[in-house]
Amino acid sequence: MEGLQTVGSALLTLGLVAVAVVLSLYERLDLEREIGVAVVRSFVQLAAIGYVINFIFGLENLGAVALLLGGMVLFAAWTSARRAGDVPRAFAVAAVAVGVAAVATLGLLLALRVVPATARYLIPLGGMVIGNSMNAASLTLTRIRDDLAEQRPKVEAALALGATSRQAVAPILRVSLQSALIPLIDATKTTGIIFLPGAMVGMIIAGADPLEAVRLQIVVLYMLLGSVSIAAILVGTLSYRSFFTPRHQLRKGVSG
Amino acid sequence: MASLKIEVRGLGYGVCGTEILNGVDARVPDGEITAVVGPSGAGKSTLLRAINRLIEPSSGEVYLEGVPTGSLDPLELRRRVGMVFQIPALFGTSVEEAVLYGARLSGGDADPGRLLEVVGLDPSLAGRDPQTLSVGQQQRVSIARALALEPEALLLDEPTSALDEAARRKIEELVRDLNDRLGLTMVFVSHDLSQVERVADRLVLLADGKSVGEWERGDFFSEAGERARRFIAGRL
């Protein structure tokens, strides 16, 4: 493989970051600090995960792979819960949703022998599943919370007519699931035409046969559709209860 | 006084340390219209929501025909005690769907044409998109929707506050008419004393989350009620 052989050559791309910083300063976007934090964090995190993955590859132990993926699920749940702010039990809801999505999709890929049970496949695929499920979980959680506050009169009207919490929240749940799934569905529809997905780009640059790259990318896309759907639906069905009492009343914190 | 349909005893409710209801007593006789009156922030709407258990009181109890509502299934309670809000909040793409929403939730059915007639609307509106109706018409549809469950009592939370004067008068007439024809027990929240005089048989006065007193309409609007009227007039 040519190029990108040293850390030094990767650091040259910092020049491109400088463009963003100059733009921020020039247009007074006040984003220089954020950009700096993002650059440093991404460098440190990627370098660290690189060494971790390298170490785990060396172990050739599936237990270590599971441990790493478990850690990623917890970090994803924490990130999602922080985004969702005041949603009660957000961490537990996101952890279950992302965890089940990861186990179900990776488990299916392994059971059907679509991918081999090796760290080389499980860690990158798991990372993608967990990352995308986390985004879906955050979107669903925040959307339900915001819509419940905004549409409180409708929810109350439904409850007053004898609707259960589930029946009263159903229209909100539907919209929040749509908002979580549509970006990925659109990306899947336009893939190959408007953009080439990261995994495929990476494989082609790394010298893989483009058709081999496509085969893996198709697996990835379908896997993501499945896992994101699982995560969004689980977040929806688990989280709406947090906003109601068992006696089908909106909780006090849900302000309108 | 007729037998009591609803009785509220020592009701308390707080949010984030603020007491919204603080020992409210109120009596709602069967077949009568009881108005709940008071300045804004007095806890009128909160009292209504505690009656059908849309909120859980922190102390005290509400009785429906002598039975504590805390012991009833809340969904069953809300079907027995209907509610009409300030904003109609109709569901569905047609007036018919909007009217039948609650009835269908419990697997029941109702005659939307007859219900529209009961609330003074033309049954031919059944196929219309509810959003194309005037707010006054929408409020009538929301009353029809509550009636579709054949409730024993109806809670009305300032149902005319979003309406103009003409529409307001029509809803007032409808409320009186429903009470006369169906003998429906109603609790009517209002901050307008002249409206209370036109609509209610009796009234409960709230201020700062406490009940101040209860009067028959005749007593309240006679000389005897002069002091209470001045008390409210100064705060409404």
Side-chain angles (χ1 to χ4, degrees):
Chain A
M1 197 175 87
E2 294 172 31
L4 285 184
Q5 300 286 15
T6 62
V7 174
S9 61
L11 287 179
L12 286 179
T13 49
L14 275 176
L16 297 171
V17 175
V19 174
V21 173
V22 168
L23 175 75
S24 173
L25 286 170
Y26 187 71
E27 295 285 352
R28 300 180 186 205
L29 301 180
D30 208 18
L31 288 174
E32 311 88 66
R33 222 185 87 85
E34 290 278 307
I35 294 171
V37 169
V39 165
V40 172
R41 268 189 64 170
S42 60
F43 181 83
V44 172
Q45 286 163 196
L46 283 176
I49 199 71
Y51 282 109
V52 169
I53 292 174
N54 213 7
F55 175 71
I56 290 176
F57 277 10
L59 288 180
E60 290 183 17
N61 179 344
L62 282 180
V65 173
L67 209 62
L68 177 68
L69 292 179
M72 286 165 124
V73 167
L74 291 181
F75 185 70
W78 177 73
T79 308
S80 202
R82 223 174 38 145
R83 175 72 53 82
D86 43 1
V87 177
R89 298 188 302 127
F91 176 78
V93 167
V96 169
V98 175
V100 170
V103 169
T105 45
L106 291 178
L108 189 71
L109 291 186
L110 289 176
L112 297 177
R113 298 179 190 283
V114 179
V115 297
T118 61
R120 184 169 295 279
Y121 278 89
L122 289 179
I123 293 174
L125 290 179
M128 277 191 274
V129 166
I130 292 165
N132 280 274
S133 303
M134 175 187 78
N135 287 339
S138 304
L139 275 172
T140 313
L141 272 174
T142 49
R143 186 72 194 241
I144 292 175
R145 179 198 60 194
D146 295 348
D147 283 6
L148 262 178
E150 194 185 299
Q151 299 182 34
R152 190 188 176 98
K154 284 206 151 188
V155 175
E156 272 203 323
L159 292 174
L161 288 159
T164 61
S165 313
R166 180 79 177 78
Q167 287 167 330
V169 84
I172 288 174
L173 221 48
R174 199 174 307 130
V175 171
S176 66
L177 289 182
Q178 281 171 343
S179 73
L181 294 181
I182 283 174
L184 184 65
I185 294 172
D186 282 350
T188 306
K189 272 190 213 158
T190 54
T191 187
I193 301 173
I194 298 181
F195 75 100
L196 298 177
M200 199 172 121
V201 169
M203 280 183 76
I204 293 173
I205 291 175
D209 173 8
L211 289 181
E212 177 67 11
V214 164
R215 193 187 77 86
L216 184 78
Q217 187 58 51
I218 287 174
V219 170
V220 166
L221 280 177
Y222 297 170
M223 171 188 79
L224 290 184
L225 267 181
S227 59
V228 162
S229 308
I230 293 172
I233 288 165
L234 276 177
V235 163
T237 42
L238 293 176
S239 71
Y240 85 85
R241 290 171 214 275
S242 318
F243 297 98
F244 294 88
T245 71
R247 287 174 64 76
H248 306 287
Q249 296 155 327
L250 268 171
R251 282 193 192 278
K252 293 176 189 179
V254 186
S255 54
Chain B
M1 195 184 341
S3 64
L4 290 181
K5 189 70 174 178
I6 296 165
E7 187 179 9
V8 176
R9 277 192 226 154
L11 209 64
Y13 180 77
V15 176
C16 306
T18 311
E19 290 296 315
I20 297 177
L21 297 180
N22 194 357
V24 171
D25 298 312
R27 293 176 300 161
V28 178
D30 196 10
E32 291 188 18
I33 301 178
T34 301
V36 178
V37 189
S40 62
K44 305 184 295 289
S45 296
T46 307
L47 170 61
L48 230 51
R49 282 166 172 76
I51 291 177
N52 68 350
R53 276 317 219 255
L54 276 181
I55 57 170
E56 195 64 27
S58 46
S59 58
E61 185 54 282
V62 179
Y63 299 86
L64 179 63
E65 294 189 324
V67 179
T69 53
S71 70
L72 298 174
D73 168 29
L75 304 182
E76 177 63 27
L77 167 68
R78 290 171 203 156
R79 285 192 282 269
R80 288 175 64 189
V81 180
M83 186 158 179
V84 173
F85 297 84
Q86 292 183 28
I87 305 162
L90 301 176
F91 302 101
T93 52
S94 72
V95 169
E96 174 172 340
E97 250 181 85
V99 170
L100 296 180
Y101 176 83
R104 282 179 177 165
L105 281 178
S106 50
D109 210 358
D111 178 356
R114 191 187 63 80
L115 286 162
L116 289 176
E117 267 176 355
V118 168
V119 298
L121 288 174
D122 189 336
S124 70
L125 291 177
R128 281 267 293 274
D129 178 351
Q131 304 310 320
T132 64
L133 303 182
S134 72
V135 186
Q137 287 174 318
Q138 288 186 31
Q139 195 58 291
R140 283 167 188 270
V141 173
S142 88
I143 294 172
R145 170 176 77 179
L147 294 178
L149 291 166
E150 297 179 12
E152 300 165 34
L154 203 53
L155 311 172
L156 300 118
D157 187 12
E158 303 205 36
T160 63
S161 65
L163 307 181
D164 61 32
E165 184 61 27
R168 189 176 306 159
R169 289 300 182 108
K170 283 185 183 163
I171 294 285
E172 289 173 4
E173 283 164 24
L174 172 62
V175 167
R176 277 252 52 110
D177 182 53
L178 289 174
N179 176 252
D180 290 341
R181 277 194 295 155
L182 309 176
L184 195 58
T185 308
M186 299 199 223
V187 185
F188 191 103
V189 164
S190 178
H191 60 258
D192 175 358
L193 280 187
S194 59
Q195 180 174 60
V196 170
E197 190 169 14
R198 289 191 294 272
V199 175
D201 297 309
R202 55 196 307 281
L203 73 152
V204 174
L205 175 57
L206 292 189
D208 302 325
K210 296 189 180 71
S211 38
V212 177
E214 299 183 36
W215 292 267
E216 296 299 318
R217 177 181 48 191
D219 295 340
F220 186 79
F221 290 100
S222 71
E223 269 179 47
E226 171 74 22
R227 246 188 74 213
R229 284 206 306 281
R230 262 192 289 144
F231 170 82
I232 308 173
R235 304 193 50 175
L236 285 182

